[in-house]
């Protein structure tokens, strides 16, 4: 429930312990961007989510990974994932996660798969935007196989995007 999430962030934002002011603000900015994202307010979410170089300064790899996947989802929805920012962000975040040895290998792989599947879906989305009658069957089949066979973070969102591109029966 988004109302609950907003209330939670408001109530506990001043009670965060163990973080310096900069880390606290980063966590709050990411949280508010996530709320806007789930409300479908993608422009607002993009404005609130710190730049990938800013959240990239976080030493908390899990917070970083959450922000990175949120960034991908936001820019997918804004249809600008392949612009300069989106392309650089995808490259930088996947590279950092690939090199992060504090993440257990299965956790690292789940995150990296998210980036590659999101990119595959985005290319199919672009093809559909360019040609409403484009045949996406082969690409969708490939993504479906990956979703069915591989563990991936945010699979629910990926599944939703896959369904949006799939032919309606």
């Amino acid at each position: 429930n988004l109302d609950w999430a907003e209330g939670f962030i408001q109530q506990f934002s001043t009670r965060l312990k163990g973080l310096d002011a900069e880390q606290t603000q980063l966590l709050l900015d990411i949280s508010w961007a996530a709320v806007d994202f789930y409300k479908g307010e993608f422009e607002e979410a993009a404005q609130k989510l710190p730049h990938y170089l800013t959240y990239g300064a976080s030493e908390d790899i899990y917070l970083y990974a959450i922000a990175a996947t949120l960034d991908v989802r936001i820019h997918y929805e804004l249809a600008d994932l392949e612009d300069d920012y989106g392309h650089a962000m995808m490259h930088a975040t996947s590279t950092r996660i690939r090199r992060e040895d504090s993440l257990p290998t299965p956790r690292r792989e789940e995150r990296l798969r998210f980036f590659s599947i999101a990119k595959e879906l985005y290319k199919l989305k672009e093809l559909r935007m360019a040609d409403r009658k484009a045949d996406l069957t082969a690409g969708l089949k490939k993504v479906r196989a990956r979703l069915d066979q591989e563990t991936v973070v945010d699979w629910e969102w990926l599944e939703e995007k896959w369904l949006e591109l799939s032919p309606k029966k």
Side-chain angles (χ1 to χ4, degrees):
N1 181 317
L2 291 173
D3 293 332
W4 179 89
E6 287 179 287
F8 180 86
I9 296 168
Q10 287 172 342
Q11 181 177 1
F12 291 100
S13 64
T14 59
R15 299 181 188 176
L16 293 172
K17 305 278 187 221
L19 298 175
D20 63 28
E22 198 172 298
Q23 282 292 100
T24 299
Q25 191 58 54
L26 180 63
L27 178 59
L28 291 172
D29 290 345
I30 293 167
S31 299
W32 284 119
V35 168
D36 284 343
F37 175 82
Y38 285 108
K39 285 181 171 180
E41 297 170 357
F42 307 123
E43 289 285 343
E44 293 83 351
Q47 290 172 8
K48 287 181 184 166
L49 186 67
H51 190 279
Y52 69 90
L53 293 176
T54 302
Y55 65 73
S58 173
E59 292 184 26
D60 183 336
I61 190 61
Y62 289 99
L63 181 61
Y64 176 80
I66 289 167
T69 57
L70 178 59
D71 216 354
V72 169
R73 289 180 286 148
I74 289 168
H75 289 281
Y76 180 102
E77 297 296 350
L78 291 174
D80 64 4
L81 191 58
E82 286 291 312
D83 73 359
D84 290 341
Y85 176 88
H87 181 75
M89 178 268 299
M90 289 273 287
H91 178 73
T93 54
S94 60
T95 299
R96 177 168 176 200
I97 290 172
R98 186 176 300 109
R99 293 178 179 165
E100 183 60 50
D101 59 2
S102 69
L103 265 177
T105 301
R107 299 290 175 256
R108 184 178 324 120
E109 295 302 320
E110 292 169 345
R111 282 149 184 80
L112 292 172
R113 285 185 205 112
F114 170 83
F115 293 116
S116 67
I117 293 172
K119 191 170 188 170
E120 286 180 54
L121 285 169
Y122 189 75
K123 288 180 187 231
L124 294 171
K125 178 182 177 175
E126 282 186 317
L127 185 58
R128 173 67 47 82
M129 289 186 310
D131 179 2
R132 297 294 301 154
K133 295 182 182 192
D135 184 6
L136 307 181
T137 307
L140 287 169
K141 186 176 180 180
K142 180 180 173 188
V143 171
R144 176 81 266 150
R146 292 190 69 194
L147 289 172
D148 289 345
Q149 297 168 10
E150 300 174 351
T151 306
V152 61
V153 296
D154 294 330
W155 66 267
E156 300 94 341
W157 181 82
L158 293 168
E159 176 79 16
E160 179 183 306
K161 299 302 118 185
W162 184 87
L163 287 169
E164 287 175 5
L165 294 168
S166 297
K168 309 298 181 243
K169 294 183 180 183

